[in-house]
Amino acid sequence: MELRAQLPAVGAVAAGGALGAVARYGASLAWPTPAHAFPWTTFTVNAAGCAALGVLMVLVTEPPVREAHPAEAHPAEARTGEPRTAPHPLLRPFLGTGFCGGFTTFSTYTLDTQRLLSAGEPARGLLYLGATALTALAAVWAGVTLTRAVRTRVVRAG
């Protein structure tokens, strides 16, 4: 695809990335990690970013749960097959690639792991290495699962 056509998405990613990086930097200022301490701030930021990405992907990529018969769908929705409240096409690049990508910091995670291992703390380094990966996966799963459950409950109630 032509670069010119991609410029709005590139701008959305850049703006979201800048905001995510500022939020992460703010977290590091609010909860600084002392030298030789377990990097809780990076660990928490990565887990929170993964959970937010799970929530976002459900809201942006999955159509709402249908309780009604398809014939009862809004005319525009029935005609196109798309939900009538489809998210803006720049929302995913802005929030997913941009904000969540700028907010999470898996490069810092690997640097923190290397720092712990080099400092003669292999148990803490390996714990951090494994716990971050497992927590990140669990956070995405929790974000997806909880968002689907809430969305289903809202549709049934509403």
Side-chain angles (χ1 to χ4, degrees), residues 55-135:
V55 169
L56 177 69
M57 288 301 108
V58 169
L59 295 177
V60 171
T61 64
E62 295 182 8
V65 177
R66 283 262 154 246
E67 289 291 320
H69 189 274
E72 299 172 14
H74 186 274
E77 189 174 336
R79 188 176 55 250
T80 64
E82 296 289 323
R84 65 184 167 133
T85 57
H88 192 281
L90 295 178
L91 186 62
R92 183 177 176 177
F94 176 75
L95 290 176
T97 307
F99 185 84
C100 289
F103 183 65
T104 57
T105 177
F106 285 91
S107 56
T108 302
Y109 153 67
T110 57
L111 184 64
D112 287 344
T113 300
Q114 189 274 335
R115 181 183 51 82
L116 289 169
L117 295 172
S118 295
E121 300 186 55
R124 193 185 289 196
L126 292 174
L127 173 67
Y128 181 61
L129 179 70
T132 297
L134 291 175
T135 301

Side-chain angles (χ1 to χ4, degrees), residues 1-12 90:
M1 184 177 273
E2 186 180 330
L3 177 62
R4 187 180 189 119
Q6 293 296 317
L7 285 179
V10 171
L90 295 178

